[in-house]
Amino acid sequence: MGENDDGDVIEHHVEEEMEKRDARSHAASSFPENVTPSDRDQEGHSGTQSSHRLLAYSDALISIIATVMILPVAHTKMEDTEELRQSLQLLLTTKIAVYLMTFLIVTVAWAAHIRLFQVIVRIDDCLALLNLACMMLITFLPYTFSLMATFPENVLGILLFCGCVMVIGVIQCLIVLYAFSRPFLLNEQIQISENQTFYKEHILKVIMRVPLMCLFASIVSFIFFQLSYVLLAIVIFLPYISQALKWCRNKAMGQVEETPDSMMFYTYLPNEPLSKERVEAFSDGVYAIVATLLILDICEDNVPDPTVVQKQFGGSLVMALQAYGPEFLAYFGSFATVGLLWFVHHSLFLHVTKATRFMGLLNTFSLAFVGGLPLAYQLTHEFPNNSRNELEAIQISCVIIFFAGIFQLAIWVVALFQEQETLHPYVRYGGHEHVFMLAKLALYPCVALGTFFLTCILSKFSAPIFHLMEITVPFAFIVLRLMVRMGLVLLRLVFCPDRPDQRSIIVEEDETRVPFNALGT
Amino acid sequence: MGENDDGDVIEHHVEEEMEKRDARSHAASSFPENVTPSDRDQEGHSGTQSSHRLLAYSDALISIIATVMILPVAHTKMEDTEELRQSLQLLLTTKIAVYLMTFLIVTVAWAAHIRLFQVIVRIDDCLALLNLACMMLITFLPYTFSLMATFPENVLGILLFCGCVMVIGVIQCLIVLYAFSRPFLLNEQIQISENQTFYKEHILKVIMRVPLMCLFASIVSFIFFQLSYVLLAIVIFLPYISQALKWCRNKAMGQVEETPDSMMFYTYLPNEPLSKERVEAFSDGVYAIVATLLILDICEDNVPDPTVVQKQFGGSLVMALQAYGPEFLAYFGSFATVGLLWFVHHSLFLHVTKATRFMGLLNTFSLAFVGGLPLAYQLTHEFPNNSRNELEAIQISCVIIFFAGIFQLAIWVVALFQEQETLHPYVRYGGHEHVFMLAKLALYPCVALGTFFLTCILSKFSAPIFHLMEITVPFAFIVLRLMVRMGLVLLRLVFCPDRPDQRSIIVEEDETRVPFNALGT
């Protein structure tokens, strides 16, 4: 290990030069040499690597694929003369359903991937290549799904889908078998455990459940294809169903037969830990794709043709671009909204110490709505002013923003229920950041709800109200801290006007440490 | 701090339960509570956060935007009757040029962003919002650029572009001023430095250079617009020009006037450190987008219309899908190639301890070629078999793969020149992973070159050769370790047949520790 020691000295030297404390603490996790001594020993098995970057790349791929299916929805051209309600019905029946189902299925595949790589914490070249093959098949799932939606009565879609899922299952089994044959790749808990074989069999059993169901569904599809759709639906909700059944049985039998504490993985309990880092990476990917979806279209479609400019606008490019004005407005509006929703998500997960399965589920719902945002924004500018279509498009946008925000709020509320485990002390109930976090999370749902009702009442001014909302919300975020503080002072004045303000005596340098729990007493 | 201490105890408990060593070491970097004690003190300034996730999100956005402009190129429909050479000339003149220039400009903006956030290592809400505004303008740059390319004689494109750059510059200045007014946000080196004002002024001067040039260019554009293009070109190459001028002056004057060692940031030297983590994140984003670009098109365009299937194919979906066969092949081919190039990149950066500016530049070139891959693969399947077009498309694909791979190899070669600083000991010349890394990096360029020349000679079989290459390369990666070992044994047999094989005595458990340096002796 003489070489390695040399390397350490040099590296510390380099890092001292760089003097980047933060960068160093991140980098530490990806440098094989900076890891803990127990990892160091494993370096002896050459070619073993930290799985960090492989997972980041997988998250990026899966998040792109999850949001891709919104594009066919967005590109469905709507006729101005047609009523939005009618075209929406057409959209709703197939494309939006496909989008939502794809999002759900891809996130199920993603959750399975997380679970797998919570057990396998180190990789080598072979695992990396197997994982890439797995990713290739996952990215193909949306296509098989849209085939199923377009040709519901044709078995080919079902067969392709089941085929993909089965191959993914086989690859995952290969990964598990390979990893258990080289135990230094595994999670430390399993590595030191005595009954590794039990773990292996349990994990293989869980993984094989889905492909076996798919095999069954594909066989059934030849006889009675409607049944195979039911089977596929069962596949998705399998963990929930089995959990519910287990719970019912335990209640009926009157005995509480918990899984042993040592079984931390593949439990499918709502509080099963989910890698917080991967939830963040996946969300970042979705937010980034969604924020830029509209610029994809703008770059492709909204550069006017030189001959058209010459003929129709007398060579004036400014005039030609004015026709695209609403689309630019839609772009900036949706970018700002998605960016600010990301900002809220970012603030929230800064304060979360442990993500659970249930929080992950709520996060998925929030992201599914976020994915629909660019489409909604695009719709708001596609119809003539003051038309019924425009009003409905604006109201749909408000509803989408509302749900995207309310599910973020729900994550926090769920976290608060187990705040000892999942939240940092300063955002728990009574913590000094509690109210501010609540205000951040509540801002978008409240604004969306307010805009929705305002447009109901003042339907003539729906567009100006909506644009005003777009412009004011970013500024609202900037002055939010100030607003929260003023609100609290007001509340205190109203409810406890006689109480001497202790804070004026203890002058804290930190302006925002508002003792919210003081209100309760 | 009583609350915080409580939190620590709980958190350690939670983490013991989770028993995920690796996840913990990653998470440590994003949990404000797990950071070093000096960070802990800064938590007193409420709302201060690690910048890690903000940078990851920015990297994702910028990598998407950098690769977006390949889409207009890919969507240019080519007529089967037309010669590829002619349509390529049309493409080359505008769209490919726009793609490459956008890629270059966006990566310049990205490099400026890295530089900025190497100085500012912690953020608060205000900085996060300012950064989002900055991102919004960066994502708009490609559009202004394609306007400039379509209407080169119209000043509007130049004005929009310059306007964007100027606003970005102003926002970056605001960020710097804000961060220097709260020094706890800054890099530790600057934080403890005595001449903070000097740093601030130096950084502001560097940042303002570009917007000022743009302001000048936009004024000039009204008088003599060709000159403003020259000015914009100067903006991009400004750091290189100023470096070259400085070098020339120093040579001429005969004196070596180095910047003081303390000035680590904004030096624009080729070995200026570049955050390795961000280079990886940006590359991951580009590889992920590029790998999925074709599935975007497939999901949208390749679901046949039910009525067409009924009429043209007699209701047989399988027959209808066979028409799309080549496109699926193109998808899997390009996904596999991009995935394997990512795999090589991943292996390379596992062994890199410090990324420099020059390595970043080479990485950008490699990524720019990777971005063109899906297009090239799509072209190979768009033309009739054995046509001249098909041959040329296949050869273009080979050239793109070759350059993407050769620039990756170049990164390693550059790193080897300063191997003490930039590489882990075991991949340095003579290290036990050296030959294997070289083989990984050389595989794609060699295969691409071989395929290119084979198609030149056996032009009739170009398509089968190309498909054979697609299929064999993934397997080649799997057996590469074996191949390297056999190659070394062969080399040893040829060059030193008499030497007793020491390795047969010292039986190492690690099979691949081939002492390459033994060859030299």
Side-chain angles (χ1 to χ4, degrees):
Chain A
M1 295 296 270
E3 276 182 347
N4 269 334
D5 290 338
D6 270 351
D8 252 357
V9 173
I10 290 157
E11 193 166 297
H12 282 300
H13 176 65
V14 170
E15 284 186 0
E16 270 163 28
E17 267 182 18
M18 288 162 77
E19 287 283 350
K20 286 175 297 174
R21 195 191 48 245
D22 248 43
R24 200 193 305 162
S25 70
H26 298 318
S29 54
S30 49
F31 285 1
E33 291 205 16
N34 282 4
V35 284
T36 52
S38 65
D39 275 352
R40 189 49 145 315
D41 301 337
Q42 292 166 12
E43 288 304 309
H45 304 276
S46 82
T48 313
Q49 308 141 8
S50 156
S51 61
H52 173 238
R53 204 179 152 197
L54 180 84
L55 301 183
Y57 183 62
S58 307
D59 286 340
L61 281 177
I62 298 178
S63 59
I64 294 170
I65 287 305
T67 37
V68 154
M69 293 307 292
I70 199 69
L71 276 181
V73 188
H75 288 175
T76 311
K77 276 289 152 238
M78 260 166 281
E79 303 297 318
D80 278 6
T81 51
E82 212 179 346
E83 274 290 301
L84 177 61
R85 197 178 290 273
Q86 275 190 322
S87 36
L88 258 188
Q89 274 171 354
L90 190 124
L91 278 174
L92 276 174
T93 42
T94 54
K95 290 189 177 175
I96 290 182
V98 170
Y99 162 68
L100 288 176
M101 284 305 293
T102 313
F103 203 97
L104 202 65
I105 285 178
V106 170
T107 48
V108 167
W110 172 71
H113 193 264
I114 292 187
R115 215 165 270 131
L116 186 63
F117 283 92
Q118 278 181 340
V119 172
I120 302 165
V121 293
R122 299 188 65 74
I123 57 159
D124 63 4
D125 285 0
C126 192
L127 280 186
L129 291 170
L130 280 174
N131 183 60
L132 280 181
C134 190
M135 281 298 128
M136 189 194 271
L137 287 161
I138 289 179
T139 56
F140 199 64
L141 283 182
Y143 180 72
T144 65
F145 213 79
S146 56
L147 265 191
M148 271 159 72
T150 323
F151 301 92
E153 307 201 353
N154 198 310
V155 291
L156 189 68
I158 303 172
L159 289 181
L160 268 180
F161 179 81
C162 291
C164 274
V165 173
M166 281 188 282
V167 178
I168 293 171
V170 169
I171 294 176
Q172 287 198 339
C173 285
L174 278 180
I175 291 177
V176 170
L177 287 174
Y178 182 86
F180 271 89
S181 73
R182 282 140 212 256
F184 51 87
L185 298 172
L186 294 174
N187 187 302
E188 208 174 48
Q189 195 199 352
I190 296 181
Q191 219 177 109
I192 57 169
S193 158
E194 286 168 11
N195 43 1
Q196 259 183 35
T197 330
F198 166 72
Y199 277 112
K200 186 166 83 176
E201 279 166 12
H202 175 74
I203 293 169
L204 282 179
K205 227 186 314 181
V206 172
I207 289 178
M208 281 313 288
R209 231 161 34 181
V210 174
L212 283 179
M213 285 289 280
C214 281
L215 182 65
F216 189 54
S218 57
I219 292 167
V220 166
S221 70
F222 286 107
I223 306 158
F224 190 59
F225 70 86
Q226 285 90 341
L227 187 63
S228 56
Y229 283 111
V230 178
L231 284 173
L232 290 183
I234 290 176
V235 167
I236 295 171
F237 298 105
L238 201 61
Y240 305 96
I241 294 168
S242 74
Q243 272 303 312
L245 283 179
K246 207 177 275 174
W247 188 81
C248 289
R249 203 186 50 196
N250 285 346
K251 282 280 160 187
M253 309 274 281
Q255 63 185 33
V256 183
E257 201 185 349
E258 285 284 305
T259 42
D261 250 15
S262 64
M263 194 66 222
M264 283 300 298
F265 309 103
Y266 286 93
T267 59
Y268 289 96
L269 292 171
N271 62 350
E272 185 186 357
L274 208 67
S275 162
K276 173 179 175 275
E277 199 193 27
R278 293 200 62 189
V279 174
E280 287 182 350
F282 179 71
S283 310
D284 281 351
V286 171
Y287 281 110
I289 288 281
V290 169
T292 45
L293 267 184
L294 286 187
I295 203 76
L296 294 181
D297 287 338
I298 286 180
C299 281
E300 211 168 329
D301 304 332
N302 293 10
V303 179
D305 198 47
T307 52
V308 173
V309 172
Q310 202 59 47
K311 278 180 198 159
Q312 290 185 7
F313 300 96
S316 164
L317 186 57
V318 182
M319 296 285 282
L321 287 186
Q322 268 173 4
Y324 297 131
E327 269 138 78
F328 297 130
L329 202 59
Y331 171 65
F332 287 116
S334 93
F335 191 99
T337 312
V338 173
L340 290 172
L341 282 171
W342 173 83
F343 172 70
V344 173
H345 190 272
H346 165 246
S347 304
L348 175 62
F349 273 78
L350 268 180
H351 301 317
V352 169
T353 53
K354 176 193 152 192
T356 64
R357 203 176 133 69
F358 189 47
M359 284 158 74
L361 195 70
L362 290 172
N363 189 43
T364 303
F365 289 145
S366 172
L367 291 178
F369 279 101
V370 168
L373 253 183
L375 168 69
Y377 266 77
Q378 205 171 19
L379 284 182
T380 58
H381 301 278
E382 251 180 23
F383 300 106
N385 273 344
N386 284 324
S387 67
R388 191 173 166 70
N389 285 338
E390 194 197 44
L391 178 64
E392 280 177 358
I394 286 174
Q395 289 182 343
I396 291 171
S397 301
C398 290
V399 170
I400 291 181
I401 296 173
F402 175 76
F403 278 107
I406 212 78
F407 277 114
Q408 288 186 335
L409 188 59
I411 297 174
W412 197 53
V413 172
V414 167
L416 276 177
F417 271 106
Q418 303 175 292
E419 58 179 11
Q420 297 292 322
E421 277 184 37
T422 53
L423 285 180
H424 273 292
Y426 45 86
V427 283
R428 291 183 197 156
Y429 182 74
H432 65 271
E433 286 272 323
H434 181 85
V435 192
F436 183 52
M437 194 66 237
L438 180 67
K440 261 188 194 170
L441 284 164
L443 184 58
Y444 255 118
C446 289
V447 167
L449 211 64
T451 315
F452 184 84
F453 285 117
L454 263 182
T455 52
C456 285
I457 301 163
L458 306 164
S459 56
K460 274 209 167 172
F461 304 101
S462 61
I465 291 171
F466 191 70
H467 294 321
L468 197 71
M469 188 269 274
E470 280 179 29
I471 295 163
T472 49
V473 169
F475 293 102
F477 270 100
I478 292 174
V479 294
L480 198 60
R481 219 168 251 277
L482 209 67
M483 281 157 59
V484 167
R485 227 194 135 195
M486 277 164 52
L488 282 178
V489 169
L490 271 179
L491 274 176
R492 202 177 296 123
L493 281 176
V494 173
F495 289 106
C496 348
D498 304 329
R499 207 163 153 224
D501 192 358
Q502 297 182 333
R503 294 186 67 255
S504 57
I505 304 161
I506 309 157
V507 181
E508 287 178 307
E509 58 171 318
D510 175 10
E511 287 187 347
T512 53
R513 284 199 185 203
V514 182
F516 181 64
N517 46 358
L519 276 174
T521 56
Chain B
M1 295 297 269
E3 276 183 345
N4 267 334
D5 290 339
D6 269 353
D8 252 357
V9 173
I10 289 157
E11 193 166 298
H12 282 301
H13 176 63
V14 170
E15 283 186 1
E16 270 163 28
E17 266 182 19
M18 289 162 77
E19 287 283 351
K20 286 175 296 174
R21 192 190 50 245
D22 245 43
R24 200 194 306 163
S25 69
H26 298 316
S29 53
S30 49
F31 287 1
E33 290 203 15
N34 282 4
V35 283
T36 53
S38 64
D39 274 352
R40 192 44 146 320
D41 300 338
Q42 291 167 13
E43 288 303 310
H45 305 278
S46 83
T48 314
Q49 307 140 7
S50 155
S51 61
H52 172 238
R53 204 180 150 197
L54 180 84
L55 301 183
Y57 183 62
S58 307
D59 286 341
L61 280 176
I62 297 177
S63 59
I64 294 170
I65 287 304
T67 38
V68 155
M69 293 308 290
I70 199 69
L71 276 181
V73 188
H75 288 177
T76 310
K77 277 288 152 236
M78 260 166 284
E79 302 298 317
D80 277 7
T81 51
E82 211 179 350
E83 276 290 303
L84 177 61
R85 197 177 290 274
Q86 274 189 323
S87 37
L88 258 188
Q89 275 173 353
L90 189 124
L91 277 175
L92 276 174
T93 42
T94 53
K95 290 190 176 174
I96 290 182
V98 169
Y99 162 68
L100 287 175
M101 284 306 292
T102 313
F103 203 96
L104 202 65
I105 284 177
V106 170
T107 47
V108 166
W110 172 69
H113 193 264
I114 292 187
R115 216 165 268 132
L116 187 62
F117 282 92
Q118 280 181 340
V119 172
I120 302 166
V121 293
R122 297 188 67 73
I123 58 159
D124 62 5
D125 284 1
C126 192
L127 280 186
L129 291 170
L130 280 174
N131 183 60
L132 281 180
C134 192
M135 282 299 128
M136 189 194 272
L137 287 161
I138 289 179
T139 57
F140 198 65
L141 283 182
Y143 180 73
T144 64
F145 213 80
S146 56
L147 265 191
M148 272 160 71
T150 324
F151 301 93
E153 307 201 352
N154 198 311
V155 291
L156 188 69
I158 302 171
L159 288 182
L160 268 179
F161 179 80
C162 291
C164 274
V165 173
M166 279 188 283
V167 178
I168 293 171
V170 169
I171 294 176
Q172 288 199 338
C173 285
L174 278 179
I175 291 177
V176 169
L177 288 175
Y178 182 87
F180 272 88
S181 75
R182 281 140 213 257
F184 51 88
L185 298 172
L186 294 174
N187 188 301
E188 208 174 47
Q189 195 198 355
I190 296 180
Q191 219 176 107
I192 57 169
S193 157
E194 285 169 12
N195 43 2
Q196 260 184 34
T197 329
F198 166 72
Y199 276 112
K200 186 167 82 174
E201 278 166 14
H202 175 73
I203 292 169
L204 282 179
K205 227 184 318 181
V206 172
I207 289 178
M208 282 312 290
R209 231 159 37 180
V210 173
L212 283 178
M213 285 291 280
C214 281
L215 180 67
F216 188 55
S218 57
I219 293 167
V220 166
S221 70
F222 286 106
I223 306 157
F224 189 60
F225 70 87
Q226 284 90 343
L227 187 62
S228 58
Y229 284 111
V230 178
L231 282 174
L232 290 183
I234 290 175
V235 166
I236 296 171
F237 298 106
L238 201 63
Y240 305 96
I241 295 168
S242 74
Q243 273 302 312
L245 283 179
K246 207 177 275 173
W247 188 82
C248 289
R249 200 186 55 198
N250 284 346
K251 281 280 161 186
M253 309 275 280
Q255 63 187 32
V256 184
E257 201 184 348
E258 283 286 306
T259 41
D261 250 13
S262 64
M263 195 64 221
M264 283 299 299
F265 309 103
Y266 287 93
T267 58
Y268 290 95
L269 291 170
N271 62 351
E272 185 187 357
L274 209 64
S275 163
K276 173 179 174 274
E277 200 194 26
R278 294 200 62 187
V279 174
E280 287 181 350
F282 179 71
S283 310
D284 281 350
V286 171
Y287 281 111
I289 288 280
V290 169
T292 45
L293 267 184
L294 287 188
I295 203 77
L296 293 182
D297 287 339
I298 286 179
C299 281
E300 212 168 329
D301 303 332
N302 292 10
V303 178
D305 199 46
T307 52
V308 174
V309 173
Q310 202 59 46
K311 278 182 199 159
Q312 291 185 7
F313 300 97
S316 164
L317 186 57
V318 181
M319 297 283 283
L321 287 186
Q322 269 175 3
Y324 298 132
E327 268 139 76
F328 296 131
L329 201 61
Y331 171 65
F332 287 116
S334 93
F335 191 100
T337 312
V338 173
L340 290 171
L341 283 170
W342 173 84
F343 173 70
V344 173
H345 190 272
H346 165 245
S347 304
L348 174 62
F349 273 78
L350 267 181
H351 301 318
V352 168
T353 53
K354 176 193 152 193
T356 63
R357 203 173 133 68
F358 190 46
M359 283 157 73
L361 195 70
L362 290 172
N363 190 42
T364 302
F365 289 146
S366 172
L367 291 178
F369 279 101
V370 168
L373 253 184
L375 168 70
Y377 266 77
Q378 205 171 19
L379 284 182
T380 58
H381 302 276
E382 251 180 23
F383 300 105
N385 272 343
N386 284 324
S387 68
R388 190 174 167 71
N389 285 338
E390 194 197 45
L391 178 65
E392 279 177 357
I394 286 174
Q395 289 182 344
I396 290 170
S397 301
C398 291
V399 169
I400 290 180
I401 297 173
F402 175 75
F403 277 108
I406 211 80
F407 277 115
Q408 287 186 335
L409 188 60
I411 297 173
W412 197 52
V413 172
V414 167
L416 276 176
F417 272 106
Q418 303 174 293
E419 58 179 10
Q420 296 293 320
E421 276 183 39
T422 54
L423 285 180
H424 274 291
Y426 45 87
V427 283
R428 292 183 196 156
Y429 182 75
H432 64 269
E433 286 273 323
H434 181 86
V435 192
F436 184 53
M437 193 66 236
L438 181 67
K440 261 188 195 170
L441 284 164
L443 184 58
Y444 255 120
C446 290
V447 168
L449 211 64
T451 315
F452 184 84
F453 285 118
L454 264 181
T455 52
C456 285
I457 302 162
L458 306 164
S459 56
K460 276 210 168 174
F461 304 101
S462 61
I465 291 170
F466 191 70
H467 295 321
L468 197 72
M469 187 269 273
E470 279 180 30
I471 295 163
T472 49
V473 168
F475 293 101
F477 270 99
I478 292 175
V479 294
L480 198 60
R481 218 169 254 276
L482 209 68
M483 282 158 59
V484 167
R485 226 196 137 194
M486 278 164 52
L488 283 178
V489 169
L490 271 179
L491 274 177
R492 203 178 296 120
L493 282 176
V494 172
F495 289 107
C496 349
D498 304 330
R499 213 168 146 215
D501 193 356
Q502 296 180 336
R503 292 186 68 254
S504 58
I505 303 161
I506 310 157
V507 181
E508 286 177 307
E509 57 170 319
D510 175 10
E511 288 189 342
T512 53
R513 284 199 184 204
V514 182
F516 179 66
N517 46 1
L519 275 174
T521 56

